[in-house]
Amino acid sequence: MNSIDVLILNMSEVRRRSEIIWKSIDKKYYEFKPDKDALTIYEMIKHVLQSEYMYHEMFIKGGSIDEIPTPYDNIDNSIEELIIVSKKYRDEYKEFIKKISEENLTNIKIDRTQDAGYIRTIGDMIERVTFHEAVHLGQLLDYMRTAGLERPRIWD
């Protein structure tokens, strides 16, 4: 297994587990948030998908991008629809990653000095996108615990 395979496996496993959790949430809890400053459950899931889409666009460009519309912007109140729409863009993202050579994981730099103040390798950035989703999945599990919701078993 090479580095590309590991990146794809990791992102696929995080998404598989995310979808198990996302699909388990009853619509009546979409607006739940643990405090007034937090994202709602629905906003958090949408944020994860919008962020992945935006990062993929950054990777194509090679750096910072202006705010752009995403395929999720006009989807309101349907986690199922978010998941369905995400499949096409996730497949495109995976294909993009598969076309990167092992060497280019460290040779290609993503320049975010314009908006975030750093330059990182594309391999590092791809892993950070997956980590971002995993962190939000952990937050979502905590939200569910706080709301008293059953949390599906994702540790198979």
Side-chain angles (χ1 to χ4, degrees):
M1 185 177 282
N2 65 31
S3 298
I4 301 293
D5 295 335
V6 172
L7 288 170
I8 297 294
L9 176 62
N10 189 36
M11 67 188 284
S12 297
E13 284 299 297
V14 169
R15 180 58 55 87
R16 181 177 70 81
R17 288 172 169 91
S18 291
E19 287 186 9
I20 290 169
I21 297 300
W22 296 348
K23 290 175 181 177
S24 78
I25 299 167
D26 188 292
K27 197 170 193 157
K28 68 184 175 185
Y29 292 100
Y30 283 10
E31 297 305 312
F32 176 83
K33 56 184 180 175
D35 62 69
K36 66 179 181 57
D37 297 321
L39 294 173
T40 66
I41 285 175
Y42 186 79
E43 289 168 337
M44 187 183 300
I45 295 167
K46 192 172 184 176
H47 164 74
V48 165
L49 296 171
Q50 287 172 316
S51 295
E52 182 178 85
Y53 181 86
M54 299 280 286
Y55 274 104
H56 182 196
E57 292 297 316
M58 273 187 241
F59 299 163
I60 291 167
K61 181 182 176 206
S64 299
I65 59 173
D66 293 326
E67 281 290 316
I68 60 170
T70 75
Y72 311 102
D73 293 345
N74 295 321
I75 301 173
D76 292 318
N77 235 11
S78 175
I79 291 173
E80 183 177 310
E81 189 177 351
L82 289 173
I83 292 169
I84 290 167
V85 170
S86 75
K87 290 190 186 313
K88 173 186 181 214
Y89 298 100
R90 174 46 83 96
D91 288 345
E92 290 174 4
Y93 181 43
K94 280 184 184 178
E95 288 308 309
F96 173 85
I97 294 168
K98 288 177 184 177
K99 291 177 183 171
I100 301 171
S101 70
E102 288 275 319
E103 308 79 56
N104 279 340
L105 286 174
T106 53
N107 292 337
I108 296 173
K109 307 291 188 222
I110 305 300
D111 184 349
R112 295 203 60 205
T113 52
Q114 175 185 338
D115 64 328
Y118 61 77
I119 299 172
R120 294 207 169 91
T121 66
I122 196 166
D124 180 300
M125 292 295 294
I126 291 167
E127 185 53 32
R128 285 170 188 269
V129 172
T130 303
F131 181 70
H132 175 255
E133 181 171 336
V135 166
H136 281 303
L137 183 57
Q139 287 179 310
L140 187 54
L141 288 166
D142 186 53
Y143 276 32
M144 293 172 78
R145 178 184 296 273
T146 300
L149 301 177
E150 184 176 332
R151 295 168 315 280
R153 183 174 179 266
I154 58 170
W155 307 112
D156 50 10

